[in-house]
Amino acid sequence: MNELSQLRQGAFAPGNNAEIADAMATASGVRIDVDRRRGRGAGLNMSGRFEPITREAFDDGWQTIEDLPPFKTEVQVEKPRSVITRNESPDIPFDRSINPYRGCEHGCIYCFARPTHSYMGLSAGVDFESRLYAKPDAPRLLERELARPDYKVRPIAIGTNTDPYQPIEKEWRIMRQILEVLRAANHPVMIVTKSAMVTRDIDLLAPMAEKGLARVGISVTTLDRKLARAMEPRASTPAKRLEAMRAVSEAGIPTAVLVAPVIPALNDHEIERVLDASKTAGAAEASYVLLRLPLEVSPLFRDWLLRNYPDRYRHVMSLVRSMRGGKDYDAEFGKRMKGAGPYAWQIGRRFDLAAKRLGLNVARRQLRNDIFVPPLGMGVQLSLL
């Protein structure tokens, strides 16, 4: 019996409602067979929202759908004209960022970056995790952009959209090359990751941190291995992230923990435990972000809940909507990160009290902008020809 049949035959018998039936119907046409999506977070692979037609895989009676191969990670080269992305968002602490990759093999089901794959004509579902883009020219482009006479130094954030230390970084090493450019230019950088691979670059980050140029944030969503495996299938385990946090901190690099996302009735009870474990591992700063469900992320997350935690579906979504003005998501600045309403206030208050008790966020170190040296490498020389 498949998952949808199990759900229809009683998993929601008490208080079954139209919303759950609608969620099952939405998923039924685009859900990927479990053997094809093994190791992936998303269970759906719906067409991108900009596509003029919608394609769905269905059984034509000849069982041909059973012969489709599992999704394998594919990497294409992307050649952007520039690598620094600018933003003017009032609720994030940086105005520029770099993404060495498009798409993310970690497969976190809640990732708010999933809808960006629609701009490539691909799905925000399994495509986002398996059809990736690498930007090998990023270090050269960065070198050229930093050398511009009108460039003004501000910390560059890396890992804010897709993880720079996702598994394909082992082969492509684009993130390491970017750090080499930033180190040579004495340029400040802020990193956020879910991967223990960040420890590979301690030899670059430690000297930068000694000059006040580097900070590392490690995202710890849960300490529950089972939940982490289901929710973030190819990210480092919670224990490995804490080990990486300890190694980074002991190397003298300012370290922070990001509890993100906080999901009501799923991992919000772990806030204090995550902060306590992170403090023990060496974190000096902490922040959190409430679950965000923009565009395609909402049906993907709801389908994931139905597959993995059907008994909590209504409760989780009810609490989410209570913090989002009755909707799955509210993108208003000032509310999108923290939500609104009594439950959101309670989460924020718990977080603040726990952080204060543990001595987190007592002193936030500002990165330096005053020792920047414009690069003069090959990327700059080629731009003059």
Side-chain angles (χ1 to χ4, degrees), residues 216 242-250 253-257 275-285 360:
V216 172
L242 292 173
E243 289 175 13
M245 194 179 296
R246 184 182 302 278
V248 170
S249 177
E250 290 179 349
I253 304 165
T255 310
V257 58
L275 290 179
D276 187 58
S278 300
K279 173 66 176 182
T280 302
E285 299 180 17
L360 295 166

Side-chain angles (χ1 to χ4, degrees), residues 8 24 47-48 69 72 126 132 142 144 151 157 177-178 195 201-202 208 216 220 226 279 284 291 303 326 335 354:
R8 290 192 180 100
M24 290 191 296
S47 298
K72 293 183 178 180
V126 181
L132 312 178
L142 174 61
R144 189 174 67 187
Y151 181 77
Q177 295 174 58
I178 288 173
S195 175
D201 294 336
I202 284 178
M208 293 180 71
V216 172
V220 181
K226 180 180 178 182
K279 173 66 176 182
L291 175 68
D303 171 71
K335 293 182 179 179

Side-chain angles (χ1 to χ4, degrees), residues 287-307:
S287 60
Y288 79 96
V289 177
L290 190 66
L291 175 68
R292 299 169 60 186
L293 298 176
L295 302 169
E296 292 97 330
V297 185
S298 177
L300 286 166
F301 180 78
R302 288 190 283 117
D303 171 71
W304 178 87
L305 266 182
L306 284 171
R307 287 188 286 112

Side-chain angles (χ1 to χ4, degrees), residues 18-218:
E19 176 196 336
I20 293 170
D22 178 66
M24 290 191 296
T26 299
S28 62
V30 290
R31 177 169 286 170
I32 305 300
D33 182 79
V34 64
D35 290 328
R36 292 195 65 212
R37 57 176 162 81
R38 192 173 303 280
R40 306 293 178 180
L44 310 179
N45 207 39
M46 59 281 211
S47 298
R49 64 184 181 280
F50 300 119
E51 301 308 294
I53 58 176
T54 298
R55 295 180 174 86
E56 296 180 0
F58 67 94
D59 190 342
D60 59 4
W62 296 100
Q63 286 77 49
T64 52
I65 197 169
E66 297 177 2
D67 298 330
L68 293 174
F71 283 87
K72 293 183 178 180
T73 300
E74 303 174 5
V75 184
Q76 298 183 51
V77 170
E78 181 176 343
K79 292 185 174 294
R81 294 183 178 180
S82 62
V83 71
I84 299 179
T85 301
R86 312 277 178 165
N87 77 82
E88 298 179 355
S89 302
D91 53 359
I92 54 178
F94 56 87
D95 67 352
R96 64 199 67 183
S97 60
I98 295 176
N99 293 294
Y101 304 100
R102 186 189 296 271
C104 188
E105 198 175 2
H106 281 166
C108 303
I109 189 59
Y110 50 73
C111 182
F112 64 85
R114 284 180 176 273
T116 61
H117 242 45
S118 294
Y119 294 108
M120 309 301 289
L122 297 173
S123 173
V126 181
D127 281 351
F128 178 80
E129 310 170 35
S130 59
R131 300 181 66 177
L132 312 178
Y133 292 82
K135 305 174 185 178
D137 289 341
R140 178 181 61 82
L141 292 172
L142 174 61
E143 197 172 52
R144 189 174 67 187
E145 291 178 52
L146 296 183
R148 289 176 178 169
D150 60 346
Y151 181 77
K152 295 182 179 179
V153 184
R154 296 286 187 278
I156 289 178
I158 309 180
T160 58
N161 206 41
T162 58
D163 203 308
Y165 289 106
Q166 60 180 286
I168 59 173
E169 167 65 13
K170 292 179 182 178
E171 176 183 353
W172 289 82
R173 297 175 69 86
I174 300 173
M175 177 59 177
R176 183 168 178 86
Q177 295 174 58
I178 288 173
L179 287 178
E180 289 171 345
V181 172
L182 294 174
R183 179 190 178 187
N186 284 336
H187 195 291
V189 63
M190 303 182 295
I191 298 170
V192 178
T193 182
K194 291 185 176 71
S195 175
M197 199 192 310
V198 67
T199 59
R200 179 201 66 185
D201 294 336
I202 284 178
D203 62 319
L204 297 175
L205 292 168
M208 293 180 71
E210 191 173 355
K211 296 180 180 179
L213 296 172
R215 178 187 303 152
V216 172
I218 296 181

Side-chain angles (χ1 to χ4, degrees), residues 252-272:
I253 304 165
T255 310
V257 58
L258 178 62
V259 187
V262 173
I263 306 173
L266 198 61
N267 73 344
D268 61 334
H269 65 283
E270 294 188 74
I271 290 175
E272 291 82 0

